[in-house]
Amino acid sequence: HLSYAAPNLKLTAANGHILCEMVVQILETSPTDPTFQAILPAVAVKHLVKIIQGKGEDYFLLTLREGGKEIVFDFFDFTYVTRTVDGTYPD
């Protein structure tokens, strides 16, 4: 689960037994960025973890497309696109 409220991106993951939460400070945003929430498929999260660990970089560009139904992670030499899951994440 991703939720954004300037200047932080909050990442929350659960596997049924373990809940993990991480807050990442956003360095730069578009002046018109709204607050948003999105749920990523588990397979996308697994891929992103492998990509981020393998690259050793802290910077990427995150873009919402199609009204928040698609998220693009641009690592500048590699782009990962995933659809979001319809629904709401519990508090």
Side-chain angles (χ1 to χ4, degrees):
H1 175 253
L2 298 171
S3 63
Y4 170 72
N8 295 320
L9 179 67
K10 185 174 171 184
L11 307 146
T12 308
N15 69 0
H17 301 285
I18 301 170
L19 175 68
C20 180
E21 186 173 276
M22 183 170 145
V23 177
V24 179
Q25 185 176 16
I26 304 298
L27 298 177
E28 186 176 321
T29 61
S30 168
T32 60
D33 280 347
T35 299
F36 75 89
Q37 291 189 21
I39 300 173
L40 299 180
V43 69
V45 173
K46 289 176 186 177
H47 288 157
L48 287 166
V49 167
K50 288 179 184 177
I51 291 166
I52 291 170
Q53 285 178 344
K55 297 190 81 42
E57 296 178 13
D58 294 334
Y59 300 101
F60 60 89
L61 181 63
L62 175 70
T63 306
L64 292 174
R65 292 197 309 205
E66 297 182 28
K69 294 184 180 187
E70 192 172 82
I71 296 182
V72 179
F73 295 85
D74 186 355
F75 295 95
F76 306 108
D77 62 342
F78 180 84
T79 302
Y80 187 86
V81 180
T82 185
R83 305 279 292 166
T84 59
V85 176
D86 289 332
T88 58
Y89 194 81
D91 291 337

